[in-house]
Amino acid sequence: MATPAAPQLDLIHRPRRNRKSQWARRLVSETRLDTSDLIWPIFIVEGVQKREAISSMPGVYRYSVDLACEAVVEAASLGIPAVALFPNIDPELRDLTASNATLPDNLVCRATRAIKSAAPNIGVITDVALDPYTSHGHDGLLYGEEIINDATVALLTRQAINQAQAGCDIIAPSDMMDGRIGAIRAALDAEGFQNVQIMSYAAKYASAFYGPFREAIGTSKTLQGDKRTYQMDPANVKEALREVALDLEQGADMVMVKPGMPYLDVLQRVAETFEAPTFAYQVSGEYAMITAASRNGWLDGERAMMESLLCFKRAGATGVLSYFAVEAARLIRAQT
Ligand code: PBG
């Protein structure tokens, strides 16, 4: 049989040489995922010794404060630098004015104090937004059909001070009201909290991928309408750059792009344009998709998890908020 005619090949350049074995691939690897890149979001509920499953997020739980402390101690021992707390408060405590958000003994403040004393060396991030506290599930105050900006910001600054007084390390406003970063920074400084950082959810999109989170904090049934008058349109990226610029000008120490995987282009543009600490949030729906496919045997869950996290880093993320944080940290530890 005649040998097939050799096609014209470029034999000087053989990019496959650098992929020939694991050591060679490690040698030229451009990006690395470390436990210090991971922030673990956790859900908190009232009670003792409680660990409630969330049906749309298999493997993720709502912890009572005592069990949350144990879980965070483990996260700290794995090298995770920070956790982000999200409360699911009693439905009876939710009202039109989000009154529970500013009470010094509310669930998130009690959790913050307990976690800071159980695990003093891990950062505690608290969420500034009204959705866990409003009877309608919106992040701001609803007046008629409208989420009113300025009155919401005034309340958010009080919420932030309340959390700072409880000992949180980082305030993370996820509400998307205009002007809230500057207002919160000024209020924190005026109260003596100059060292409390702000991680701004600067480019947060109105996304279908938040569905499971709303089950986790108990707003999926109550949420009236949608959040499109304050969260961003998924069609826009230039607007994301303007949002990030405003938040950095107003004093944000770190910014975030959210959701994660469908928005890697936004993440890359933000990271390259501002060169500020830039975080990606791999949200609940992303966790649910990977976990569901994995549980059905449709993809290798462990590999999909590690690949998705690494790709955030490659796109320019300083770090990633992920419900996989603990599982990923265990794997990273086992591999090194
Ligand atoms: C609301 C908030 C949301 C998330 C974090 N903070 C949901 C929303 O905007 O409705 C989503 C996180 C996730 O889906 O994992 N302040």
Side-chain angles (χ1 to χ4, degrees):
M1 210 168 69
T3 19
Q8 283 292 21
L9 290 178
D10 170 0
L11 294 173
I12 312 253
H13 302 283
R14 288 184 184 268
R16 288 185 55 193
R17 269 200 289 260
N18 285 343
R19 300 178 207 133
K20 67 182 178 187
S21 61
Q22 206 213 350
W23 67 259
R25 292 188 293 272
R26 282 177 52 227
L27 194 63
V28 298
S29 158
E30 300 173 31
T31 312
R32 216 180 124 90
L33 181 71
D34 191 51
T35 55
S36 61
D37 299 318
L38 300 168
I39 295 174
W40 190 35
I42 55 172
F43 299 108
I44 316 281
V45 274
E46 220 46 88
V48 252
Q49 292 292 307
K50 258 186 144 166
R51 200 182 79 138
E52 292 177 0
I54 299 157
S55 65
S56 54
M57 301 178 79
V60 173
Y61 301 91
R62 298 184 199 97
Y63 298 93
S64 53
V65 172
D66 53 333
L67 294 190
C69 288
E70 290 176 17
V72 174
V73 166
E74 196 211 341
S77 75
L78 288 166
I80 292 175
V83 291
L85 310 185
F86 294 99
N88 178 323
I89 74 165
D90 187 338
E92 282 169 19
L93 298 177
R94 304 180 196 214
D95 57 27
L96 286 171
T97 56
S99 55
N100 189 262
T102 51
L103 297 184
D105 240 0
N106 70 13
L107 182 56
V108 87
C109 290
R110 276 180 281 127
T112 301
R113 285 193 289 266
I115 290 170
K116 282 313 293 181
S117 94
N121 294 326
I122 194 166
V124 171
I125 304 174
T126 52
D127 185 60
V128 163
L130 303 181
D131 53 319
Y133 306 98
T134 51
S135 41
H136 45 67
H138 276 291
D139 296 29
L141 296 167
L142 190 61
Y143 189 77
E145 302 263 283
E146 194 183 341
I147 299 297
I148 40 168
N149 194 86
D150 302 10
T152 299
V153 172
L155 187 49
L156 295 174
T157 60
R158 292 176 49 214
Q159 180 184 26
I161 297 300
N162 189 35
Q163 294 172 352
Q165 282 166 343
C168 81
D169 301 292
I170 304 180
I171 293 287
S174 69
D175 56 285
M176 289 297 281
M177 297 300 123
D178 293 335
R180 90 275 206 221
I181 300 301
I184 291 170
R185 183 72 269 160
L188 287 171
D189 290 355
E191 297 287 327
F193 296 111
Q194 288 88 351
N195 291 332
V196 170
Q197 292 149 278
I198 297 180
M199 175 186 282
S200 165
Y201 288 65
K204 176 174 176 179
Y205 289 85
S207 172
F209 292 100
Y210 306 150
F213 176 94
R214 293 181 189 164
E215 183 203 338
I217 65 156
T219 60
S220 40
K221 294 211 178 68
T222 50
L223 181 63
Q224 297 165 14
D226 58 51
K227 301 190 177 183
R228 287 178 224 235
T229 68
Y230 46 107
Q231 299 179 350
M232 285 181 53
D233 182 344
N236 297 352
V237 63
K238 292 178 205 143
E239 187 185 352
L241 300 178
R242 295 199 296 274
E243 281 280 7
V244 170
L246 288 172
D247 286 4
L248 288 171
E249 269 167 37
Q250 288 174 37
D253 301 288
M254 298 166 260
V255 293
M256 193 198 299
V257 172
K258 179 184 174 190
M261 213 146 75
Y263 295 82
L264 290 183
D265 59 324
V266 180
L267 173 66
Q268 187 189 29
R269 302 264 314 255
V270 167
E272 282 185 354
T273 305
F274 300 99
E275 299 188 324
T278 305
F279 291 81
Y281 199 141
Q282 181 178 51
V283 300
S284 57
E286 299 173 67
Y287 174 88
M289 287 195 297
I290 293 174
T291 305
S294 159
R295 293 198 174 203
N296 273 299
W298 295 338
L299 53 71
D300 178 335
E302 212 164 78
R303 286 188 54 202
M305 164 179 83
M306 295 311 272
E307 181 179 330
S308 64
L309 293 171
L310 180 69
C311 290
F312 288 115
K313 292 284 312 278
R314 190 204 58 230
T318 309
V320 189
L321 290 92
S322 173
Y323 301 98
F324 289 123
V326 167
E327 214 182 319
R330 281 195 200 115
L331 262 181
I332 294 168
R333 278 292 170 103
Q335 283 162 1
T336 46

